[in-house]
Amino acid sequence: MKNYGHLLEGTGFSKPQVQAHLKLYEGYVKKLEEISRRLEQADRADANYSFGEYSELRRREPVAYNGVVLHELYFDALGRKGATRPDPSVKEKLAEGYGGWEEWLKDMKAAAGSCHGWALVVQDPLRGKLTTNLVQSEHHVGLFANTPIVMALDLWEHAYAIQFGIDKGEYLKAFFEALDWDVVRHRLSAVDMTVGMGSL
Ligand SMILES: [Fe+2]
């Protein structure tokens, strides 16, 4: 489990909001540990489509697994409010994927209005560009396969309701102010945008 104690101050998110969110993240880490432990012991001979311990553990494993991974992608990219700005290379890459910087911002707002769950900015290897992947209902439902994640925006109510109530607009503003753009730039530089280019 990663230590995100530094996020309790200075991000622009309130302490109760961050504390509640970190507690939830810890819950996913513990559940993933429990599932992993129980899978070692589960009787493979009892696997069954309707019900079986092994089957249920494997079916629920992606919820805990992605719950951990997505929250770490989210928390890893948060920092002090206003500490970083998107540099031209970041703006250029996002603009390439979405047809413009403003278009990217509009797409993020549209994604936020479309789901409770996650809005992910991913490298789409089929179309050779950045795109948005909505993951909703649970942490694994709708997740594109084989698409490196550049940015993870948590749109579950627990991410903002303590501080902002139902005002997603204020949450989005706070998220982008706390976003560590250096992390986004690093992730963008790590993805190979030529992979799969032209296959669709
Ligand atoms: Fe969350």
Side-chain angles (χ1 to χ4, degrees), residues 21 24-25 28 67 71 74-75 118 139 154-156 158-159:
H21 207 170
L24 199 118
Y25 155 67
Y28 286 117
H71 276 104
Y74 175 82
F75 290 128
W118 293 89
H139 301 296
D154 193 340
L155 290 162
W156 287 91
H158 66 250

Side-chain angles (χ1 to χ4, degrees), residues 59-60 62-63 66-67 70 115-120 133-144 156:
R59 282 194 275 261
R60 300 305 296 170
V63 178
N66 286 2
L70 293 175
C115 80
H116 59 279
W118 293 89
L120 308 175
N133 181 198
L134 285 188
V135 178
Q136 55 182 350
S137 301
E138 291 186 288
H139 301 296
H140 60 312
V141 178
L143 188 67
F144 289 165
W156 287 91

